[in-house]
Amino acid sequence: RNPAAHLPLHKLDVLPRDVLSEREAEAVMNAPEARGPGGRRDRAILETLYGTAIRRSECARLDLEDLDLKEGTLLVRDGKGKKDRLVPVAGRAAIALDVYLREVRPHLVRDPKERALFLGRLGTRLSKVTIGLLVREHGRAAGVKLSPHGLRHACATHLVRRGADVRHVQRLLGHSTIETTARYTRVAIKDLREVFERSHPRDGDRLRRRRGKVE
């Protein structure tokens, strides 16, 4: 008899097998129709998810007062573990959000008391289910299988690949332990090893010779 049989198990935040390349991420960001209001709203959502690495549920909970474009910050309320965190908003995410707030949201909102950042056609808060659907839709348009979680992992992986400190990435993701974030360094090291074996004059030649013998 197993005395631990009924204990709840920790759900592992497993990394996806195929992380978006930077080129694929750019294609996804460009997938929404730029001229239509729905496309500009979706672009702002995609850029926010990829640019800040927030979770789908965190994105759905965002209110207007959580975003400060002047300071370039986004307050993520009630994240995992019921913790709040402040994340930077810069670059294309800030531009897309500014366009959405000036040109799209005023036409969507019906109740002036509505404080949700991202609104649907009825002027109410977008649900996390709807956000997941629109991410998948634009992923298909860009030729990739994608979820909001995939954009979060892509952001973290690309930051580490470009030399970001793992502890900074930890704060961005809202991880309670550095060990959880350290998985992204293993992804980056694996990529580096593959590039090293292909490109280094000594290891690359050895790898090609080995493959030639197998063939």
Side-chain angles (χ1 to χ4, degrees):
R1 183 171 176 273
N2 182 4
H6 300 293
L7 291 177
L9 297 178
H10 176 65
K11 184 179 179 181
L12 295 177
D13 189 16
V14 181
L15 292 176
R17 292 182 179 179
D18 299 316
V19 178
L20 284 183
S21 67
E22 292 185 24
R23 180 176 296 181
E24 288 172 332
E26 184 175 1
V28 172
M29 299 302 110
N30 293 329
E33 174 57 52
R35 295 181 182 178
R40 282 176 287 173
R41 180 206 61 190
D42 291 359
R43 175 70 177 266
I45 293 173
L46 292 170
E47 291 282 9
T48 300
L49 289 169
Y50 177 58
T52 65
I54 62 175
R55 300 176 178 90
R56 176 181 60 168
S57 57
E58 294 169 342
C59 183
R61 286 196 297 269
L62 290 175
D63 287 337
L64 283 173
E65 53 266 27
D66 297 332
L67 176 64
D68 188 339
L69 285 177
K70 185 177 180 180
E71 294 296 327
T73 59
L74 184 69
L75 176 62
V76 182
R77 296 175 292 103
D78 201 21
K80 207 171 213 180
K82 302 297 181 182
K83 295 179 181 179
D84 298 343
R85 67 185 187 280
L86 199 65
V87 299
V89 180
R92 296 182 182 180
I95 294 172
L97 283 164
D98 181 56
V99 170
Y100 165 72
L101 288 174
R102 287 187 295 104
E103 302 178 7
V104 180
R105 192 183 184 280
H107 299 288
L108 292 175
V109 67
R110 297 185 181 183
D111 182 356
K113 295 181 180 179
E114 176 61 69
R115 305 309 298 163
L117 178 60
F118 294 119
L119 302 177
R121 289 179 298 175
L122 299 179
T124 56
R125 183 185 300 273
L126 281 183
S127 69
K128 65 178 184 179
V129 173
T130 302
I131 291 174
L133 290 174
L134 70 86
V135 169
R136 288 181 176 87
E137 175 187 343
H138 294 304
R140 283 195 298 269
V144 296
K145 187 176 181 181
L146 185 63
S147 69
H149 213 51
L151 287 175
R152 174 175 163 86
H153 286 308
C155 174
T157 302
H158 296 166
L159 285 172
V160 172
R161 283 175 179 167
R162 285 174 170 263
D165 188 282
V166 179
R167 294 196 177 276
H168 293 159
V169 178
Q170 177 192 3
R171 292 185 62 184
L172 180 71
L173 296 173
H175 287 161
S176 57
T177 64
I178 193 67
E179 287 77 12
T180 306
T181 316
R183 292 171 302 164
Y184 293 98
T185 63
R186 292 197 289 272
V187 172
I189 288 297
K190 181 182 177 182
D191 293 339
L192 178 60
R193 184 182 296 114
E194 291 175 354
V195 171
F196 191 88
E197 290 181 345
R198 286 198 310 267
S199 308
H200 195 279
R202 292 177 64 83
D203 285 79
D205 290 340
R206 184 179 61 184
L207 181 63
R208 284 189 288 272
R209 287 197 301 270
R210 188 171 61 206
R211 285 176 177 171
K213 289 180 181 179
V214 172
E215 293 173 357

